[in-house]
Structure formats: structure tokens, C-alpha cells
Amino acid sequence: MQPAHRRGGLGARLIAQFSAWAKGAGAELAEVTAYSSNSDAIRFYERNGFASQSVTLQTAL
């Protein structure tokens, strides 16, 4: 998202709407993926109720 569009609440509203729709459709879990270096995205998801569940480590071959 462009920096000028951040912090306006749109992302949180989208997550809330999606979560309500998914729950109504019978979903019990929502999952997102963010690169570990994308601290802004991680903080955003954490603010919106998501919590880390696993860590994936990798190396170049």
C-alpha cells in the first residue's frame, strides 16, 4: 500500500468485513503470510488480531 494511504483504517475495515463474511460461511480460521522483514505488515496484522504461529527458516543453496 502506498504510504499516503496508510493509517486510514481501510485495511482494518477490510479485515473486519472479510472475517465476518468468512465466519458466516463457516470458516474457523484465517491465515496471512508476511515476510519477516516486513515489520509494518506484521504489526498491522497483530493489531488486527493475528498472532504468530510458526517460523519458517530458509537458506540459499
mmCIF file of all heavy atoms in Angstrom:
data_model
loop_
_atom_site.group_PDB
_atom_site.id
_atom_site.type_symbol
_atom_site.label_atom_id
_atom_site.label_comp_id
_atom_site.label_asym_id
_atom_site.label_seq_id
_atom_site.Cartn_x
_atom_site.Cartn_y
_atom_site.Cartn_z
ATOM 1 N N MET A 1 0.851 -1.175 0.000
ATOM 2 C CA MET A 1 0.000 0.000 0.000
ATOM 3 C C MET A 1 0.894 1.235 0.000
ATOM 4 O O MET A 1 1.920 1.281 0.666
ATOM 5 C CB MET A 1 -0.907 -0.022 1.233
ATOM 6 C CG MET A 1 -1.847 1.145 1.288
ATOM 7 S SD MET A 1 -2.979 1.146 2.691
ATOM 8 C CE MET A 1 -4.110 -0.115 2.198
ATOM 9 N N GLN A 2 0.483 2.236 -0.727
ATOM 10 C CA GLN A 2 1.216 3.489 -0.786
ATOM 11 C C GLN A 2 1.216 4.162 0.583
ATOM 12 O O GLN A 2 0.197 4.166 1.271
ATOM 13 C CB GLN A 2 0.569 4.425 -1.815
ATOM 14 C CG GLN A 2 0.619 3.919 -3.233
ATOM 15 C CD GLN A 2 2.027 3.945 -3.784
ATOM 16 O OE1 GLN A 2 2.836 4.784 -3.430
ATOM 17 N NE2 GLN A 2 2.320 2.997 -4.649
ATOM 18 N N PRO A 3 2.336 4.746 1.000
ATOM 19 C CA PRO A 3 2.395 5.406 2.308
ATOM 20 C C PRO A 3 1.287 6.435 2.532
ATOM 21 O O PRO A 3 0.781 6.576 3.635
ATOM 22 C CB PRO A 3 3.775 6.073 2.303
ATOM 23 C CG PRO A 3 4.589 5.213 1.394
ATOM 24 C CD PRO A 3 3.629 4.746 0.321
ATOM 25 N N ALA A 4 0.869 7.137 1.497
ATOM 26 C CA ALA A 4 -0.187 8.144 1.649
ATOM 27 C C ALA A 4 -1.529 7.527 2.023
ATOM 28 O O ALA A 4 -2.408 8.202 2.545
ATOM 29 C CB ALA A 4 -0.331 8.942 0.352
ATOM 30 N N HIS A 5 -1.692 6.226 1.763
ATOM 31 C CA HIS A 5 -2.960 5.550 2.043
ATOM 32 C C HIS A 5 -2.933 4.750 3.338
ATOM 33 O O HIS A 5 -3.927 4.126 3.695
ATOM 34 C CB HIS A 5 -3.331 4.629 0.877
ATOM 35 C CG HIS A 5 -3.508 5.360 -0.412
ATOM 36 N ND1 HIS A 5 -4.596 6.167 -0.671
ATOM 37 C CD2 HIS A 5 -2.721 5.442 -1.505
ATOM 38 C CE1 HIS A 5 -4.470 6.698 -1.875
ATOM 39 N NE2 HIS A 5 -3.337 6.276 -2.394
ATOM 40 N N ARG A 6 -1.804 4.777 4.028
ATOM 41 C CA ARG A 6 -1.678 4.021 5.278
ATOM 42 C C ARG A 6 -2.304 4.783 6.429
ATOM 43 O O ARG A 6 -2.445 5.995 6.397
ATOM 44 C CB ARG A 6 -0.211 3.749 5.584
ATOM 45 C CG ARG A 6 0.400 2.788 4.592
ATOM 46 C CD ARG A 6 1.810 2.438 4.967
ATOM 47 N NE ARG A 6 2.343 1.527 3.954
ATOM 48 C CZ ARG A 6 3.611 1.269 3.798
ATOM 49 N NH1 ARG A 6 4.494 1.826 4.592
ATOM 50 N NH2 ARG A 6 4.001 0.448 2.863
ATOM 51 N N ARG A 7 -2.678 4.043 7.451
ATOM 52 C CA ARG A 7 -3.196 4.589 8.708
ATOM 53 C C ARG A 7 -4.584 5.213 8.576
ATOM 54 O O ARG A 7 -5.017 5.923 9.454
ATOM 55 C CB ARG A 7 -2.237 5.619 9.317
ATOM 56 C CG ARG A 7 -0.823 5.128 9.479
ATOM 57 C CD ARG A 7 -0.632 4.460 10.781
ATOM 58 N NE ARG A 7 0.767 4.134 10.960
ATOM 59 C CZ ARG A 7 1.171 2.939 11.336
ATOM 60 N NH1 ARG A 7 0.319 1.993 11.596
ATOM 61 N NH2 ARG A 7 2.456 2.696 11.474
ATOM 62 N N GLY A 8 -5.273 4.939 7.479
ATOM 63 C CA GLY A 8 -6.609 5.477 7.299
ATOM 64 C C GLY A 8 -7.713 4.540 7.769
ATOM 65 O O GLY A 8 -8.878 4.898 7.768
ATOM 66 N N GLY A 9 -7.339 3.322 8.141
ATOM 67 C CA GLY A 9 -8.316 2.370 8.642
ATOM 68 C C GLY A 9 -8.930 1.466 7.592
ATOM 69 O O GLY A 9 -9.705 0.570 7.931
ATOM 70 N N LEU A 10 -8.600 1.655 6.331
ATOM 71 C CA LEU A 10 -9.194 0.833 5.275
ATOM 72 C C LEU A 10 -8.822 -0.637 5.437
ATOM 73 O O LEU A 10 -9.670 -1.523 5.331
ATOM 74 C CB LEU A 10 -8.778 1.326 3.892
ATOM 75 C CG LEU A 10 -9.279 0.499 2.709
ATOM 76 C CD1 LEU A 10 -10.803 0.452 2.702
ATOM 77 C CD2 LEU A 10 -8.739 1.046 1.405
ATOM 78 N N GLY A 11 -7.559 -0.920 5.710
ATOM 79 C CA GLY A 11 -7.117 -2.296 5.872
ATOM 80 C C GLY A 11 -7.837 -3.002 7.005
ATOM 81 O O GLY A 11 -8.276 -4.145 6.873
ATOM 82 N N ALA A 12 -7.984 -2.314 8.123
ATOM 83 C CA ALA A 12 -8.689 -2.895 9.277
ATOM 84 C C ALA A 12 -10.155 -3.156 8.933
ATOM 85 O O ALA A 12 -10.711 -4.187 9.318
ATOM 86 C CB ALA A 12 -8.579 -1.970 10.487
ATOM 87 N N ARG A 13 -10.760 -2.254 8.186
ATOM 88 C CA ARG A 13 -12.161 -2.458 7.780
ATOM 89 C C ARG A 13 -12.283 -3.642 6.832
ATOM 90 O O ARG A 13 -13.234 -4.421 6.919
ATOM 91 C CB ARG A 13 -12.732 -1.189 7.151
ATOM 92 C CG ARG A 13 -12.932 -0.071 8.179
ATOM 93 C CD ARG A 13 -13.788 1.070 7.652
ATOM 94 N NE ARG A 13 -13.341 1.664 6.411
ATOM 95 C CZ ARG A 13 -12.474 2.674 6.308
ATOM 96 N NH1 ARG A 13 -11.945 3.199 7.403
ATOM 97 N NH2 ARG A 13 -12.140 3.164 5.136
ATOM 98 N N LEU A 14 -11.321 -3.791 5.922
ATOM 99 C CA LEU A 14 -11.345 -4.933 5.010
ATOM 100 C C LEU A 14 -11.196 -6.248 5.769
ATOM 101 O O LEU A 14 -11.909 -7.216 5.489
ATOM 102 C CB LEU A 14 -10.232 -4.809 3.967
ATOM 103 C CG LEU A 14 -10.461 -3.768 2.882
ATOM 104 C CD1 LEU A 14 -9.182 -3.572 2.067
ATOM 105 C CD2 LEU A 14 -11.610 -4.178 1.984
ATOM 106 N N ILE A 15 -10.292 -6.282 6.736
ATOM 107 C CA ILE A 15 -10.122 -7.499 7.537
ATOM 108 C C ILE A 15 -11.394 -7.796 8.317
ATOM 109 O O ILE A 15 -11.841 -8.948 8.382
ATOM 110 C CB ILE A 15 -8.906 -7.388 8.472
ATOM 111 C CG1 ILE A 15 -7.624 -7.500 7.650
ATOM 112 C CG2 ILE A 15 -8.941 -8.461 9.561
ATOM 113 C CD1 ILE A 15 -6.347 -7.353 8.446
ATOM 114 N N ALA A 16 -12.007 -6.786 8.910
ATOM 115 C CA ALA A 16 -13.241 -6.995 9.675
ATOM 116 C C ALA A 16 -14.356 -7.526 8.782
ATOM 117 O O ALA A 16 -15.069 -8.473 9.162
ATOM 118 C CB ALA A 16 -13.668 -5.698 10.355
ATOM 119 N N GLN A 17 -14.517 -6.956 7.603
ATOM 120 C CA GLN A 17 -15.555 -7.406 6.678
ATOM 121 C C GLN A 17 -15.289 -8.833 6.202
ATOM 122 O O GLN A 17 -16.201 -9.654 6.153
ATOM 123 C CB GLN A 17 -15.657 -6.467 5.479
ATOM 124 C CG GLN A 17 -16.278 -5.134 5.801
ATOM 125 C CD GLN A 17 -17.744 -5.278 6.149
ATOM 126 O OE1 GLN A 17 -18.497 -5.977 5.485
ATOM 127 N NE2 GLN A 17 -18.154 -4.611 7.210
ATOM 128 N N PHE A 18 -14.036 -9.111 5.843
ATOM 129 C CA PHE A 18 -13.694 -10.453 5.403
ATOM 130 C C PHE A 18 -13.922 -11.458 6.526
ATOM 131 O O PHE A 18 -14.486 -12.538 6.303
ATOM 132 C CB PHE A 18 -12.246 -10.536 4.926
ATOM 133 C CG PHE A 18 -11.811 -11.957 4.704
ATOM 134 C CD1 PHE A 18 -12.184 -12.632 3.556
ATOM 135 C CD2 PHE A 18 -11.065 -12.630 5.666
ATOM 136 C CE1 PHE A 18 -11.822 -13.959 3.355
ATOM 137 C CE2 PHE A 18 -10.699 -13.954 5.471
ATOM 138 C CZ PHE A 18 -11.067 -14.616 4.312
ATOM 139 N N SER A 19 -13.480 -11.118 7.735
ATOM 140 C CA SER A 19 -13.628 -12.032 8.869
ATOM 141 C C SER A 19 -15.097 -12.337 9.152
ATOM 142 O O SER A 19 -15.460 -13.489 9.394
ATOM 143 C CB SER A 19 -12.964 -11.444 10.117
ATOM 144 O OG SER A 19 -11.577 -11.311 9.918
ATOM 145 N N ALA A 20 -15.930 -11.312 9.094
ATOM 146 C CA ALA A 20 -17.370 -11.514 9.322
ATOM 147 C C ALA A 20 -17.956 -12.407 8.231
ATOM 148 O O ALA A 20 -18.732 -13.329 8.519
ATOM 149 C CB ALA A 20 -18.092 -10.177 9.365
ATOM 150 N N TRP A 21 -17.580 -12.156 6.988
ATOM 151 C CA TRP A 21 -18.078 -12.977 5.878
ATOM 152 C C TRP A 21 -17.619 -14.423 6.027
ATOM 153 O O TRP A 21 -18.408 -15.356 5.889
ATOM 154 C CB TRP A 21 -17.596 -12.394 4.551
ATOM 155 C CG TRP A 21 -17.887 -13.304 3.407
ATOM 156 C CD1 TRP A 21 -19.065 -13.442 2.733
ATOM 157 C CD2 TRP A 21 -16.980 -14.248 2.836
ATOM 158 N NE1 TRP A 21 -18.939 -14.405 1.758
ATOM 159 C CE2 TRP A 21 -17.667 -14.920 1.809
ATOM 160 C CE3 TRP A 21 -15.645 -14.585 3.088
ATOM 161 C CZ2 TRP A 21 -17.069 -15.904 1.032
ATOM 162 C CZ3 TRP A 21 -15.060 -15.568 2.320
ATOM 163 C CH2 TRP A 21 -15.777 -16.217 1.306
ATOM 164 N N ALA A 22 -16.314 -14.617 6.297
ATOM 165 C CA ALA A 22 -15.763 -15.965 6.400
ATOM 166 C C ALA A 22 -16.385 -16.731 7.566
ATOM 167 O O ALA A 22 -16.719 -17.907 7.429
ATOM 168 C CB ALA A 22 -14.240 -15.893 6.556
ATOM 169 N N LYS A 23 -16.554 -16.071 8.701
ATOM 170 C CA LYS A 23 -17.180 -16.718 9.851
ATOM 171 C C LYS A 23 -18.609 -17.118 9.512
ATOM 172 O O LYS A 23 -19.051 -18.216 9.836
ATOM 173 C CB LYS A 23 -17.151 -15.794 11.060
ATOM 174 C CG LYS A 23 -17.584 -16.457 12.338
ATOM 175 C CD LYS A 23 -17.395 -15.535 13.531
ATOM 176 C CE LYS A 23 -17.794 -16.228 14.809
ATOM 177 N NZ LYS A 23 -17.568 -15.382 15.985
ATOM 178 N N GLY A 24 -19.333 -16.250 8.843
ATOM 179 C CA GLY A 24 -20.698 -16.551 8.424
ATOM 180 C C GLY A 24 -20.768 -17.705 7.444
ATOM 181 O O GLY A 24 -21.774 -18.405 7.362
ATOM 182 N N ALA A 25 -19.683 -17.911 6.708
ATOM 183 C CA ALA A 25 -19.621 -19.007 5.746
ATOM 184 C C ALA A 25 -19.105 -20.292 6.383
ATOM 185 O O ALA A 25 -18.936 -21.297 5.698
ATOM 186 C CB ALA A 25 -18.727 -18.611 4.566
ATOM 187 N N GLY A 26 -18.839 -20.252 7.694
ATOM 188 C CA GLY A 26 -18.432 -21.450 8.396
ATOM 189 C C GLY A 26 -16.936 -21.608 8.628
ATOM 190 O O GLY A 26 -16.504 -22.621 9.183
ATOM 191 N N ALA A 27 -16.138 -20.624 8.220
ATOM 192 C CA ALA A 27 -14.691 -20.718 8.438
ATOM 193 C C ALA A 27 -14.376 -20.581 9.920
ATOM 194 O O ALA A 27 -15.060 -19.864 10.649
ATOM 195 C CB ALA A 27 -13.962 -19.639 7.646
ATOM 196 N N GLU A 28 -13.377 -21.287 10.351
ATOM 197 C CA GLU A 28 -12.965 -21.232 11.747
ATOM 198 C C GLU A 28 -11.593 -20.606 11.930
ATOM 199 O O GLU A 28 -11.168 -20.347 13.049
ATOM 200 C CB GLU A 28 -12.960 -22.644 12.342
ATOM 201 C CG GLU A 28 -14.341 -23.272 12.362
ATOM 202 C CD GLU A 28 -14.342 -24.672 12.939
ATOM 203 O OE1 GLU A 28 -13.290 -25.136 13.416
ATOM 204 O OE2 GLU A 28 -15.407 -25.304 12.904
ATOM 205 N N LEU A 29 -10.888 -20.336 10.837
ATOM 206 C CA LEU A 29 -9.521 -19.845 10.910
ATOM 207 C C LEU A 29 -9.211 -18.997 9.687
ATOM 208 O O LEU A 29 -9.610 -19.333 8.573
ATOM 209 C CB LEU A 29 -8.554 -21.045 10.956
ATOM 210 C CG LEU A 29 -7.069 -20.769 10.982
ATOM 211 C CD1 LEU A 29 -6.680 -20.145 12.324
ATOM 212 C CD2 LEU A 29 -6.299 -22.063 10.774
ATOM 213 N N ALA A 30 -8.517 -17.904 9.899
ATOM 214 C CA ALA A 30 -7.985 -17.097 8.800
ATOM 215 C C ALA A 30 -6.481 -17.028 8.986
ATOM 216 O O ALA A 30 -5.984 -16.953 10.115
ATOM 217 C CB ALA A 30 -8.584 -15.690 8.804
ATOM 218 N N GLU A 31 -5.755 -17.060 7.902
ATOM 219 C CA GLU A 31 -4.300 -17.106 7.968
ATOM 220 C C GLU A 31 -3.725 -16.130 6.956
ATOM 221 O O GLU A 31 -4.249 -15.992 5.842
ATOM 222 C CB GLU A 31 -3.864 -18.533 7.635
ATOM 223 C CG GLU A 31 -2.442 -18.877 7.905
ATOM 224 C CD GLU A 31 -2.228 -20.371 7.706
ATOM 225 O OE1 GLU A 31 -1.930 -20.774 6.568
ATOM 226 O OE2 GLU A 31 -2.389 -21.118 8.686
ATOM 227 N N VAL A 32 -2.687 -15.414 7.331
ATOM 228 C CA VAL A 32 -1.997 -14.499 6.427
ATOM 229 C C VAL A 32 -0.511 -14.831 6.443
ATOM 230 O O VAL A 32 -0.013 -15.462 7.372
ATOM 231 C CB VAL A 32 -2.203 -13.014 6.812
ATOM 232 C CG1 VAL A 32 -3.663 -12.612 6.671
ATOM 233 C CG2 VAL A 32 -1.695 -12.743 8.211
ATOM 234 N N THR A 33 0.194 -14.394 5.427
ATOM 235 C CA THR A 33 1.635 -14.582 5.331
ATOM 236 C C THR A 33 2.287 -13.230 5.105
ATOM 237 O O THR A 33 1.808 -12.431 4.298
ATOM 238 C CB THR A 33 1.988 -15.512 4.148
ATOM 239 O OG1 THR A 33 1.320 -16.761 4.324
ATOM 240 C CG2 THR A 33 3.478 -15.740 4.046
ATOM 241 N N ALA A 34 3.366 -12.974 5.834
ATOM 242 C CA ALA A 34 4.140 -11.746 5.645
ATOM 243 C C ALA A 34 5.616 -12.098 5.756
ATOM 244 O O ALA A 34 5.999 -12.960 6.551
ATOM 245 C CB ALA A 34 3.779 -10.706 6.695
ATOM 246 N N TYR A 35 6.432 -11.462 4.960
ATOM 247 C CA TYR A 35 7.872 -11.668 5.076
ATOM 248 C C TYR A 35 8.349 -11.145 6.421
ATOM 249 O O TYR A 35 7.870 -10.110 6.900
ATOM 250 C CB TYR A 35 8.627 -10.956 3.953
ATOM 251 C CG TYR A 35 8.456 -11.623 2.614
ATOM 252 C CD1 TYR A 35 7.680 -11.042 1.630
ATOM 253 C CD2 TYR A 35 9.071 -12.841 2.350
ATOM 254 C CE1 TYR A 35 7.515 -11.661 0.401
ATOM 255 C CE2 TYR A 35 8.909 -13.469 1.130
ATOM 256 C CZ TYR A 35 8.137 -12.873 0.160
ATOM 257 O OH TYR A 35 7.976 -13.486 -1.051
ATOM 258 N N SER A 36 9.293 -11.837 7.044
ATOM 259 C CA SER A 36 9.782 -11.429 8.360
ATOM 260 C C SER A 36 10.394 -10.034 8.328
ATOM 261 O O SER A 36 10.374 -9.324 9.328
ATOM 262 C CB SER A 36 10.796 -12.439 8.893
ATOM 263 O OG SER A 36 11.896 -12.558 8.013
ATOM 264 N N SER A 37 10.893 -9.613 7.199
ATOM 265 C CA SER A 37 11.483 -8.279 7.080
ATOM 266 C C SER A 37 10.431 -7.179 6.940
ATOM 267 O O SER A 37 10.751 -5.996 7.035
ATOM 268 C CB SER A 37 12.426 -8.232 5.873
ATOM 269 O OG SER A 37 11.707 -8.494 4.678
ATOM 270 N N ASN A 38 9.163 -7.554 6.736
ATOM 271 C CA ASN A 38 8.091 -6.570 6.562
ATOM 272 C C ASN A 38 7.430 -6.285 7.910
ATOM 273 O O ASN A 38 6.300 -6.684 8.186
ATOM 274 C CB ASN A 38 7.071 -7.085 5.541
ATOM 275 C CG ASN A 38 6.109 -6.011 5.103
ATOM 276 O OD1 ASN A 38 5.977 -4.980 5.747
ATOM 277 N ND2 ASN A 38 5.413 -6.265 4.015
ATOM 278 N N SER A 39 8.150 -5.577 8.756
ATOM 279 C CA SER A 39 7.680 -5.322 10.122
ATOM 280 C C SER A 39 6.386 -4.504 10.145
ATOM 281 O O SER A 39 5.562 -4.683 11.043
ATOM 282 C CB SER A 39 8.766 -4.646 10.952
ATOM 283 O OG SER A 39 9.189 -3.446 10.347
ATOM 284 N N ASP A 40 6.181 -3.633 9.170
ATOM 285 C CA ASP A 40 4.923 -2.856 9.126
ATOM 286 C C ASP A 40 3.729 -3.782 8.940
ATOM 287 O O ASP A 40 2.707 -3.637 9.603
ATOM 288 C CB ASP A 40 4.948 -1.829 7.998
ATOM 289 C CG ASP A 40 5.885 -0.665 8.266
ATOM 290 O OD1 ASP A 40 6.238 -0.443 9.454
ATOM 291 O OD2 ASP A 40 6.280 0.013 7.306
ATOM 292 N N ALA A 41 3.852 -4.746 8.040
ATOM 293 C CA ALA A 41 2.752 -5.694 7.804
ATOM 294 C C ALA A 41 2.513 -6.562 9.029
ATOM 295 O O ALA A 41 1.360 -6.792 9.422
ATOM 296 C CB ALA A 41 3.053 -6.568 6.588
ATOM 297 N N ILE A 42 3.574 -7.015 9.647
ATOM 298 C CA ILE A 42 3.432 -7.862 10.833
ATOM 299 C C ILE A 42 2.719 -7.101 11.939
ATOM 300 O O ILE A 42 1.778 -7.620 12.559
ATOM 301 C CB ILE A 42 4.804 -8.389 11.293
ATOM 302 C CG1 ILE A 42 5.361 -9.358 10.238
ATOM 303 C CG2 ILE A 42 4.699 -9.068 12.659
ATOM 304 C CD1 ILE A 42 6.816 -9.719 10.428
ATOM 305 N N ARG A 43 3.120 -5.876 12.191
ATOM 306 C CA ARG A 43 2.447 -5.052 13.212
ATOM 307 C C ARG A 43 0.984 -4.821 12.853
ATOM 308 O O ARG A 43 0.103 -4.864 13.710
ATOM 309 C CB ARG A 43 3.168 -3.717 13.406
ATOM 310 C CG ARG A 43 4.392 -3.820 14.294
ATOM 311 C CD ARG A 43 4.917 -2.455 14.709
ATOM 312 N NE ARG A 43 5.175 -1.559 13.586
ATOM 313 C CZ ARG A 43 6.301 -1.545 12.885
ATOM 314 N NH1 ARG A 43 7.274 -2.391 13.182
ATOM 315 N NH2 ARG A 43 6.460 -0.695 11.896
ATOM 316 N N PHE A 44 0.699 -4.572 11.578
ATOM 317 C CA PHE A 44 -0.677 -4.371 11.131
ATOM 318 C C PHE A 44 -1.531 -5.594 11.445
ATOM 319 O O PHE A 44 -2.610 -5.480 12.020
ATOM 320 C CB PHE A 44 -0.713 -4.075 9.626
ATOM 321 C CG PHE A 44 -2.091 -4.157 9.038
ATOM 322 C CD1 PHE A 44 -2.996 -3.132 9.238
ATOM 323 C CD2 PHE A 44 -2.480 -5.266 8.310
ATOM 324 C CE1 PHE A 44 -4.274 -3.213 8.706
ATOM 325 C CE2 PHE A 44 -3.745 -5.357 7.778
ATOM 326 C CZ PHE A 44 -4.654 -4.323 7.976
ATOM 327 N N TYR A 45 -1.051 -6.770 11.064
ATOM 328 C CA TYR A 45 -1.820 -7.988 11.317
ATOM 329 C C TYR A 45 -1.974 -8.254 12.809
ATOM 330 O O TYR A 45 -3.040 -8.653 13.264
ATOM 331 C CB TYR A 45 -1.198 -9.185 10.605
ATOM 332 C CG TYR A 45 -1.388 -9.135 9.111
ATOM 333 C CD1 TYR A 45 -0.300 -9.159 8.245
ATOM 334 C CD2 TYR A 45 -2.658 -9.038 8.555
ATOM 335 C CE1 TYR A 45 -0.477 -9.100 6.876
ATOM 336 C CE2 TYR A 45 -2.846 -8.982 7.190
ATOM 337 C CZ TYR A 45 -1.750 -9.011 6.353
ATOM 338 O OH TYR A 45 -1.933 -8.953 4.991
ATOM 339 N N GLU A 46 -0.928 -8.011 13.575
ATOM 340 C CA GLU A 46 -1.030 -8.203 15.021
ATOM 341 C C GLU A 46 -2.069 -7.256 15.631
ATOM 342 O O GLU A 46 -2.849 -7.657 16.496
ATOM 343 C CB GLU A 46 0.330 -8.005 15.690
ATOM 344 C CG GLU A 46 1.292 -9.123 15.398
ATOM 345 C CD GLU A 46 2.696 -8.896 15.919
ATOM 346 O OE1 GLU A 46 3.073 -7.724 16.174
ATOM 347 O OE2 GLU A 46 3.428 -9.881 16.058
ATOM 348 N N ARG A 47 -2.103 -6.016 15.178
ATOM 349 C CA ARG A 47 -3.107 -5.057 15.660
ATOM 350 C C ARG A 47 -4.522 -5.504 15.317
ATOM 351 O O ARG A 47 -5.491 -5.092 15.949
ATOM 352 C CB ARG A 47 -2.876 -3.668 15.054
ATOM 353 C CG ARG A 47 -1.790 -2.863 15.692
ATOM 354 C CD ARG A 47 -1.847 -1.385 15.293
ATOM 355 N NE ARG A 47 -2.028 -1.145 13.875
ATOM 356 C CZ ARG A 47 -1.041 -0.997 12.987
ATOM 357 N NH1 ARG A 47 0.213 -1.088 13.372
ATOM 358 N NH2 ARG A 47 -1.298 -0.770 11.720
ATOM 359 N N ASN A 48 -4.643 -6.338 14.296
ATOM 360 C CA ASN A 48 -5.950 -6.788 13.842
ATOM 361 C C ASN A 48 -6.256 -8.220 14.260
ATOM 362 O O ASN A 48 -7.074 -8.892 13.637
ATOM 363 C CB ASN A 48 -6.057 -6.605 12.329
ATOM 364 C CG ASN A 48 -6.249 -5.144 11.975
ATOM 365 O OD1 ASN A 48 -7.368 -4.634 12.049
ATOM 366 N ND2 ASN A 48 -5.176 -4.445 11.654
ATOM 367 N N GLY A 49 -5.615 -8.670 15.337
ATOM 368 C CA GLY A 49 -5.982 -9.930 15.954
ATOM 369 C C GLY A 49 -5.204 -11.162 15.540
ATOM 370 O O GLY A 49 -5.460 -12.249 16.053
ATOM 371 N N PHE A 50 -4.282 -11.039 14.614
ATOM 372 C CA PHE A 50 -3.500 -12.192 14.182
ATOM 373 C C PHE A 50 -2.310 -12.378 15.120
ATOM 374 O O PHE A 50 -1.777 -11.420 15.656
ATOM 375 C CB PHE A 50 -2.994 -12.000 12.747
ATOM 376 C CG PHE A 50 -4.077 -12.072 11.711
ATOM 377 C CD1 PHE A 50 -4.865 -10.965 11.424
ATOM 378 C CD2 PHE A 50 -4.312 -13.243 11.020
ATOM 379 C CE1 PHE A 50 -5.867 -11.020 10.479
ATOM 380 C CE2 PHE A 50 -5.318 -13.313 10.059
ATOM 381 C CZ PHE A 50 -6.100 -12.201 9.792
ATOM 382 N N ALA A 51 -1.887 -13.619 15.312
ATOM 383 C CA ALA A 51 -0.740 -13.934 16.156
ATOM 384 C C ALA A 51 0.159 -14.924 15.433
ATOM 385 O O ALA A 51 -0.316 -15.794 14.701
ATOM 386 C CB ALA A 51 -1.207 -14.529 17.484
ATOM 387 N N SER A 52 1.448 -14.802 15.644
ATOM 388 C CA SER A 52 2.401 -15.723 15.031
ATOM 389 C C SER A 52 2.169 -17.140 15.530
ATOM 390 O O SER A 52 1.945 -17.355 16.718
ATOM 391 C CB SER A 52 3.846 -15.306 15.356
ATOM 392 O OG SER A 52 4.131 -14.050 14.793
ATOM 393 N N GLN A 53 2.231 -18.083 14.610
ATOM 394 C CA GLN A 53 2.036 -19.482 14.956
ATOM 395 C C GLN A 53 3.236 -20.345 14.588
ATOM 396 O O GLN A 53 3.409 -21.412 15.155
ATOM 397 C CB GLN A 53 0.783 -20.036 14.254
ATOM 398 C CG GLN A 53 -0.484 -19.375 14.707
ATOM 399 C CD GLN A 53 -0.749 -19.594 16.198
ATOM 400 O OE1 GLN A 53 -0.727 -20.718 16.657
ATOM 401 N NE2 GLN A 53 -0.966 -18.532 16.925
ATOM 402 N N SER A 54 4.040 -19.906 13.636
ATOM 403 C CA SER A 54 5.198 -20.695 13.233
ATOM 404 C C SER A 54 6.238 -19.769 12.612
ATOM 405 O O SER A 54 5.937 -18.628 12.261
ATOM 406 C CB SER A 54 4.803 -21.788 12.242
ATOM 407 O OG SER A 54 4.368 -21.201 11.030
ATOM 408 N N VAL A 55 7.419 -20.284 12.478
ATOM 409 C CA VAL A 55 8.513 -19.555 11.828
ATOM 410 C C VAL A 55 9.103 -20.474 10.773
ATOM 411 O O VAL A 55 9.362 -21.654 11.050
ATOM 412 C CB VAL A 55 9.606 -19.159 12.845
ATOM 413 C CG1 VAL A 55 10.793 -18.522 12.146
ATOM 414 C CG2 VAL A 55 9.033 -18.248 13.911
ATOM 415 N N THR A 56 9.301 -19.966 9.580
ATOM 416 C CA THR A 56 9.926 -20.731 8.516
ATOM 417 C C THR A 56 11.315 -20.166 8.279
ATOM 418 O O THR A 56 11.460 -18.954 8.098
ATOM 419 C CB THR A 56 9.100 -20.626 7.207
ATOM 420 O OG1 THR A 56 7.787 -21.117 7.465
ATOM 421 C CG2 THR A 56 9.742 -21.418 6.087
ATOM 422 N N LEU A 57 12.296 -21.012 8.304
ATOM 423 C CA LEU A 57 13.677 -20.600 8.064
ATOM 424 C C LEU A 57 14.128 -21.189 6.739
ATOM 425 O O LEU A 57 13.732 -22.295 6.379
ATOM 426 C CB LEU A 57 14.579 -21.089 9.198
ATOM 427 C CG LEU A 57 14.147 -20.653 10.597
ATOM 428 C CD1 LEU A 57 14.925 -21.405 11.643
ATOM 429 C CD2 LEU A 57 14.315 -19.163 10.761
ATOM 430 N N GLN A 58 14.963 -20.437 6.008
ATOM 431 C CA GLN A 58 15.445 -20.958 4.740
ATOM 432 C C GLN A 58 16.857 -20.473 4.494
ATOM 433 O O GLN A 58 17.326 -19.529 5.122
ATOM 434 C CB GLN A 58 14.537 -20.566 3.577
ATOM 435 C CG GLN A 58 14.370 -19.091 3.371
ATOM 436 C CD GLN A 58 13.454 -18.765 2.210
ATOM 437 O OE1 GLN A 58 13.788 -17.880 1.456
ATOM 438 N NE2 GLN A 58 12.327 -19.427 2.052
ATOM 439 N N THR A 59 17.530 -21.136 3.575
ATOM 440 C CA THR A 59 18.870 -20.745 3.164
ATOM 441 C C THR A 59 18.998 -20.926 1.661
ATOM 442 O O THR A 59 18.342 -21.789 1.080
ATOM 443 C CB THR A 59 19.949 -21.571 3.905
ATOM 444 O OG1 THR A 59 21.230 -21.028 3.600
ATOM 445 C CG2 THR A 59 19.908 -23.022 3.520
ATOM 446 N N ALA A 60 19.815 -20.085 1.057
ATOM 447 C CA ALA A 60 20.087 -20.225 -0.366
ATOM 448 C C ALA A 60 21.007 -21.417 -0.584
ATOM 449 O O ALA A 60 21.872 -21.708 0.234
ATOM 450 C CB ALA A 60 20.738 -18.959 -0.903
ATOM 451 N N LEU A 61 20.810 -22.116 -1.656
ATOM 452 C CA LEU A 61 21.641 -23.288 -1.985
ATOM 453 C C LEU A 61 22.552 -22.980 -3.151
ATOM 454 O O LEU A 61 22.287 -22.186 -3.971
ATOM 455 C CB LEU A 61 20.749 -24.494 -2.314
ATOM 456 C CG LEU A 61 19.806 -24.920 -1.207
ATOM 457 C CD1 LEU A 61 18.937 -26.066 -1.681
ATOM 458 C CD2 LEU A 61 20.618 -25.340 0.017
#
